[in-house]
Amino acid sequence: MTTYYPDLADVVRRQADALPEVYGDVDFSGVPYRFTTDPDVESALPAWVGGRSRYLSDARIVELMTTSTMLGDVVADRYAALAADHSVSELISMLRTACREGIDAVEDAPSELASFLEAMETTPDWIDLDLVAEGARLSRVPSALLSPFITRGAFIATFTNLYAALPMVMTGALTGKRAARRVNETTSFFAVTTLPGALDRDGAGFEAAAMVRLMHSMVRYNALRRSGTWDVDTYGIPIPQLDQAPAGLMGAFILAQRALRQGRSEFTRAERATVEFHRYRCFLLGLPEELVPATPRGVVDVFTGRAALLRAGFDDSCASLVSSTMNAYLRSGHTAFDRAAESVERSYSKIAFMIAFCQGNRRAAARMGVEIAAADFARIAGTAPFIVGRLAAAQYAARIPFLAPHVDRYATRMVERRLADYGKPEFRTDHTEYAVAH
């Protein structure tokens, strides 16, 4: 029974009819094993965080999580399904051309491509584009000066749970040399979207969102239709929209936690702009309004509620993903400076991972594939005054009208420099290299 989110539940149910070649065999009335409301079953929400019982007893949260666990992305999946008759390279090329020059520039453009882009172009009434532009500006400074040191650690969050990580395990996309490519693609996406005008229809961020969305759909299509081994009863839909919410809402979640700690039920104007920027980016990736709330309590409930209802699971494949991602060399050059900068960034990511997922316990981090040495602490101690001091100074100067434009130009240049370091994203997946699912 759908009491609180009937429209969302209807979208989920209609997936089989809308795209039978992908979802025709899926029973959307079932609840996958990954989802649990049993208080005696360990969940992905760490015990030290607490508060799980509140989510288990909240019928609204339980229904939202149950429903969105089975939510794919039909409009993008329909375009990905053209892989039955087109190469992945062709699909990517047509999408890039349509993003840059318009759908009319694509010869014999398939209707599925037109529908895909139309869905992204049609901004819903729950998004305020004026706030989005302001939020992107406010996000440029941390994107330029802080994100490079924590993105890898945050990126690994998905891999700490077997049920969410399995699609990446299958694709092999985060093992060996491909780990660096995938991390840089993700990092590039989050960075480029903060640039001025990047999320406009003809902007680089809009195109990056379309490419990320296609990549997710390709993984979903290949897992369900080509691998022959995906277990829906256990794992639900591959890369459901629910599993994209944590990465998309990470910045909003931090602001929401702070607001709630301060006893506020609403965001400030600046916070609201930043949150709106995150919400719009999530919309471009295909997430529905229900998964991208606009209030502090709503954001925390989605972020934490997902973990509270996701069954815990960590095995050797997860440890391998964590380890290979943490050890991947991300910079494009190999000069002495590049190697030193890489070591510093990796140390910050290790410590961020230990704090976020292991309650500061080095041994627990090591068991999950992240070895932290004394040298990591030394690197942070030696660089933190500069990194933190520069960030604080830039954020302070950005609030002074006379200095704000100069700070913004500086942040923009830094983001562009970071993008050059990350290299050109490919956004592709090869189904012939998929491993057997668990």
Side-chain angles (χ1 to χ4, degrees):
M1 180 178 179
T2 55
T3 303
Y4 303 102
Y5 300 96
D7 292 340
L8 186 64
D10 187 54
V11 170
V12 169
R13 283 192 299 267
R14 285 191 287 106
Q15 289 177 116
D17 294 332
L19 193 55
E21 59 267 41
V22 175
Y23 294 114
D25 297 331
V26 176
D27 178 10
F28 287 101
S29 65
V31 177
Y33 179 77
R34 62 169 267 172
F35 184 90
T36 178
T37 56
D38 188 340
D40 295 326
V41 172
E42 184 181 0
S43 77
L45 184 68
W48 56 269
V49 173
R52 186 184 182 215
S53 60
R54 186 179 79 81
Y55 293 104
L56 297 182
S57 61
D58 189 327
R60 182 182 294 272
I61 293 297
V62 170
E63 182 182 318
L64 176 59
M65 299 302 138
T66 307
T67 303
S68 54
T69 293
M70 298 297 286
L71 178 63
D73 183 2
V74 166
V75 68
D77 295 343
R78 187 178 285 120
Y79 181 60
L82 294 180
D85 301 306
H86 296 267
S87 70
V88 175
S89 296
E90 287 178 309
L91 296 181
I92 290 174
S93 177
M94 287 191 292
L95 181 57
R96 286 194 188 280
T97 300
C99 284
R100 297 174 183 180
E101 304 174 39
I103 192 68
D104 292 338
V106 179
E107 185 177 355
D108 298 322
S111 60
E112 292 85 352
L113 174 59
S115 297
F116 179 17
L117 285 179
E118 183 181 359
M120 293 183 65
E121 294 167 352
T122 308
T123 305
D125 56 10
W126 48 270
I127 290 291
D128 184 332
L129 289 179
D130 290 334
L131 278 180
V132 169
E134 182 181 348
R137 180 183 63 80
L138 293 172
S139 298
R140 273 196 284 279
V141 169
S143 178
L145 306 180
L146 178 63
S147 293
F149 301 98
I150 62 175
T151 298
R152 189 198 309 239
F155 181 79
I156 288 174
T158 302
F159 314 142
T160 59
N161 183 272
L162 167 64
Y163 302 98
L166 185 58
M168 293 297 102
V169 173
M170 288 183 65
T171 63
L174 286 158
T175 56
K177 294 181 180 179
R178 284 176 291 177
R181 188 179 75 199
R182 285 294 184 241
V183 175
N184 281 342
E185 285 176 347
T186 300
T187 305
S188 293
F189 165 70
F190 285 113
V192 74
T193 54
T194 66
L195 290 175
L199 292 180
D200 292 346
R201 170 59 185 83
D202 58 350
F206 183 97
E207 178 184 326
M211 297 304 298
V212 169
R213 195 165 171 179
L214 173 60
M215 183 183 70
H216 288 162
S217 286
M218 288 302 306
V219 172
R220 199 176 294 118
Y221 168 72
N222 286 324
L224 287 172
R225 307 311 304 172
R226 284 180 165 176
S227 72
T229 60
W230 184 265
D231 184 355
V232 173
D233 292 339
T234 300
Y235 299 101
I237 296 298
I239 316 183
Q241 298 292 30
L242 178 61
D243 283 357
Q244 298 183 64
L249 292 177
M250 179 65 75
F253 176 66
I254 294 171
L255 294 178
Q257 282 187 309
R258 183 174 66 186
L260 294 178
R261 282 197 300 268
Q262 294 175 353
R264 293 187 283 116
S265 61
E266 300 292 338
F267 290 114
T268 65
R269 166 73 188 195
E271 290 172 341
R272 183 72 184 84
T274 302
V275 170
E276 196 70 357
F277 165 65
H278 287 282
R279 295 177 80 222
Y280 182 57
R281 200 162 57 182
C282 284
F283 158 73
L284 291 178
L285 291 176
L287 275 69
E289 180 183 9
E290 292 86 349
L291 291 179
V292 285
T295 65
R297 173 49 61 191
V299 171
V300 169
D301 281 350
V302 166
F303 202 96
T304 309
R306 171 188 174 273
L309 295 162
L310 175 63
R311 187 180 297 270
F314 190 89
D315 64 3
D316 290 343
S317 60
C318 293
S320 177
L321 287 175
V322 170
S323 179
S324 62
T325 303
M326 191 62 77
N327 293 328
Y329 187 86
L330 304 183
R331 299 183 72 86
S332 58
H334 291 271
T335 66
F337 174 82
D338 284 324
R339 291 194 297 272
E342 176 79 7
S343 296
V344 170
E345 181 274 324
R346 186 182 289 118
S347 293
Y348 274 89
S349 293
K350 288 181 178 181
I351 301 303
F353 178 87
M354 179 182 69
I355 293 173
F357 303 109
C358 306
Q359 202 178 2
N361 188 313
R362 288 174 65 182
R363 291 183 178 179
R367 288 194 295 270
M368 298 180 74
V370 179
E371 298 282 351
I372 301 172
D376 294 305
F377 291 102
R379 292 187 190 100
I380 291 176
T383 59
F386 169 72
I387 293 173
V388 176
R390 181 177 60 170
L391 174 66
Q395 289 181 320
Y396 177 78
R399 294 194 294 268
I400 301 174
F402 172 72
L403 295 176
H406 301 284
V407 173
D408 193 50
R409 285 193 291 272
Y410 169 70
T412 298
R413 288 196 302 271
M414 289 296 294
V415 170
E416 291 172 341
R417 187 180 304 171
R418 301 290 187 197
L419 289 169
D421 286 338
Y422 300 144
K424 183 179 179 180
E426 295 183 27
F427 299 118
R428 63 176 68 242
T429 181
D430 184 355
H431 76 277
T432 63
E433 298 178 343
Y434 279 25
V436 176
H438 287 53

